[in-house]
Amino acid sequence: MFNAIVSAGTLGTALDSVSVLVEECKIHLNDDGIAIRAVDPANVGMVDLTLSEAAFESYEADGGVIGVNLSRLQDIAGMASSDDLVHLELDEETRKLHISIDGLEYTLALIDPDSIRQEPDIPDLDLPATIVLEGRDIDRAVTAADMVSDHIALGVNEDDEQFYVDAEGDTDDVHFELDRDDLIDLTAGPAHSLYSLDYLKDMNKAIPSNAEVTLDLGEEFPVKFHFDIAEAEGSVTFMLAPRIQSD
Amino acid sequence: MFNAIVSAGTLGTALDSVSVLVEECKIHLNDDGIAIRAVDPANVGMVDLTLSEAAFESYEADGGVIGVNLSRLQDIAGMASSDDLVHLELDEETRKLHISIDGLEYTLALIDPDSIRQEPDIPDLDLPATIVLEGRDIDRAVTAADMVSDHIALGVNEDDEQFYVDAEGDTDDVHFELDRDDLIDLTAGPAHSLYSLDYLKDMNKAIPSNAEVTLDLGEEFPVKFHFDIAEAEGSVTFMLAPRIQSD
Amino acid sequence: MFNAIVSAGTLGTALDSVSVLVEECKIHLNDDGIAIRAVDPANVGMVDLTLSEAAFESYEADGGVIGVNLSRLQDIAGMASSDDLVHLELDEETRKLHISIDGLEYTLALIDPDSIRQEPDIPDLDLPATIVLEGRDIDRAVTAADMVSDHIALGVNEDDEQFYVDAEGDTDDVHFELDRDDLIDLTAGPAHSLYSLDYLKDMNKAIPSNAEVTLDLGEEFPVKFHFDIAEAEGSVTFMLAPRIQSD
């Protein structure tokens, strides 16, 4: 059983954060909210999303799992204005999702969850450095790095208490550093890892520029990006595996 | 003789409603305003446009006919701001149209009207159902239907006094219904017909979202869309032939 | 030695006026400001730009010359908001330009100035007619002419004291004339020359619509467009060679 009402804006934000990595996903319809975990086909980027019951106008569910095509669902949500309410109701018999927006009813065929790539176990890494910064700073770093290279180093300078971003191209380089004063918070620790810009660019698209983003970072370890959505009634965690650095 | 001044916005709106169906058309320069009738090459969609003398700042004509390339005329009108005045003057000798916009003079070669597809006779159908609704509701229905199918059913549920739209795709369906309360007006009657979405999408582009649109509908009959333009000093009627329903 | 701070908006405007003609250019780092002269590969269009010391927030230079890739520099300036300050510093040893924007450091590899096309000598023509008009009028003329032709005539009607623009296409023509009243200033004189629209369209892109532009014009002579940038602390001159008129 699943019967819920949510604003088109909240639904869209949640879907966007998953669709940057995968085309299809399983949605867990838990009794306290929905949850999605997904990993891209190359096993490099993962997303873990929760949207609690409180992010919905009304919410009833009892623990089922559905499989959806994300771009289709985004198109439907995209027809509504951000404040419009979207009514979602699962028809258990036909395994279709009925989506109503102000008189418009869309019947969405679901995908067999068993046919969707298995959900990842997102490891509980104990990373030594934690940086809290604004989404817009991630955007600046990624945009600049993309002008010179296809990979990017993220790290912490423990002595100067700085978070830094480095991208080295064939002729040009980009360096971006944020002091403790430029950051919302910093727990310095040994951290320097290289990542694929293609993935970071995709994840960056889903990070609101005014979001407070927490980065967990280590030495040649995955990076985790964590931020809240839906007025903190939901949260997104991205995890990105490092590239092996050839020195 | 033809010598008229009209706002670029009014001229553009009028041309847009014809150009969604044809590239070239005949314009009748009647003494009480201009009139255009056109049918697309496949004889499926027709348009009947009138723009009365009162829609112009000044207007003089004596019943001639000119042939024009619509996109060219749209480009010229598009160079002006919506409130700018466009002066149109026919040179009978050279068969060219002189178009002046604030110091800029464009001399447009006309097309021999005899070389343009014959104008359709738009039949005076006595259709049993009439629905009056806002342009934005047509837009919502067409946009949603386009996500699942390439055709769309329009109909009236006489018992519930509802206007409905149905689109059935291979996996997903769209259903949209508007009660008497959601409509500006409804004359219920037996009505259900299937139409090509390609044509409806084109016509929809020319329907202002705040226009009051009158639909005349029957059972496996053409649909007529009628709306006013130029502050009711002009009007547009689209007629679209039904697709044969294979049951 | 070169160490300067300038707003991203001013830097962008200056670069745009050169990049419409060439991909790479030499920048003279004079002690009173920067200067760029460039000619397109076909030797048809030239640009002469100066941006004085006063257009910068701070400026130190001692007469060197650097070679730059313009689109790369534009991309970097484009990452900043118009009011953001861009810090430029030349590393004499590595021959790289360090560009800092609010914590972001970009290291730009320079181009050997000797590998860049030689700078043109922009001739000091004594042209008989001078027209001063708004950038937006040039834009209107160029946009309209482009609808019918690939070349454009600029001229002065001495008797009527008019500046005119003519474009003749295969079927359609454009004529644009501005009286003394429509112009900011006019020095009438014998002037009529034909120019390539491709070049004029490019130059037009770099002319702000509210700029006061001075045109120097003659009979089958190059045209010069002159306008100020950076609140008159900089100036741009375009020169465009005429097309030979075949009568």
Side-chain angles (χ1 to χ4, degrees), chain C residues 17 134-136 138-139 200 202-211 213 225 227 238:
Chain C
S17 66
E134 290 202 320
R136 76 186 81 248
I138 296 173
D139 184 52
L200 259 187
D202 285 341
M203 292 174 174
N204 178 45
K205 283 178 205 156
I207 300 177
S209 67
N210 62 350
V213 184
F225 295 84
F227 56 97
F238 285 125

Side-chain angles (χ1 to χ4, degrees), chain A residues 32-209:
Chain A
D32 60 350
I34 67 169
I36 302 175
R37 274 179 302 136
V39 59
D40 85 289
N43 261 294
V44 172
M46 297 179 189
V47 60
D48 185 348
L49 167 115
T50 59
L51 194 61
S52 89
E53 190 179 2
F56 293 77
E57 297 297 310
S58 81
Y59 186 89
E60 283 180 280
D62 58 4
V65 178
I66 57 175
V68 300
N69 176 306
L70 282 162
S71 63
R72 180 49 65 104
L73 203 47
Q74 285 177 303
D75 286 347
I76 301 166
M79 283 193 307
S81 299
S82 180
D83 289 338
D84 285 353
L85 293 181
V86 180
H87 184 176
L88 305 161
E89 185 169 8
L90 177 63
D91 184 327
E92 306 268 6
E93 299 243 326
T94 60
R95 298 302 296 170
K96 300 215 171 185
L97 189 65
H98 292 283
I99 305 165
S100 309
I101 305 171
D102 195 15
L104 188 70
E105 286 166 47
Y106 193 104
T107 306
L108 176 72
L110 296 173
I111 299 170
D112 177 0
D114 293 339
S115 74
I116 295 177
R117 192 174 320 115
Q118 210 187 314
E119 291 163 292
D121 285 320
I122 296 185
D124 187 15
L125 306 167
D126 191 16
L127 295 167
T130 298
I131 303 103
V132 185
L133 76 175
E134 290 201 321
R136 76 186 80 248
D137 283 325
I138 296 173
D139 184 52
R140 289 186 72 206
V142 167
T143 303
D146 189 39
M147 291 170 61
V148 301
S149 184
D150 57 2
H151 49 267
I152 187 173
L154 306 181
V156 170
N157 182 325
E158 291 181 84
D159 293 340
D160 297 341
E161 298 208 310
Q162 285 175 333
F163 167 63
Y164 66 80
V165 174
D166 265 321
E168 298 187 10
D170 290 336
T171 59
D172 297 354
D173 302 325
V174 162
H175 182 72
F176 184 40
E177 60 191 30
L178 293 170
D179 292 329
R180 182 176 280 284
D181 288 351
D182 304 320
L183 298 167
I184 297 168
D185 199 10
L186 173 71
T187 305
H192 180 92
S193 304
L194 200 66
Y195 303 98
S196 155
L197 256 175
D198 278 346
Y199 282 90
L200 259 187
K201 281 192 288 181
D202 285 340
M203 292 174 175
N204 178 46
K205 283 178 205 157
I207 300 177
S209 66

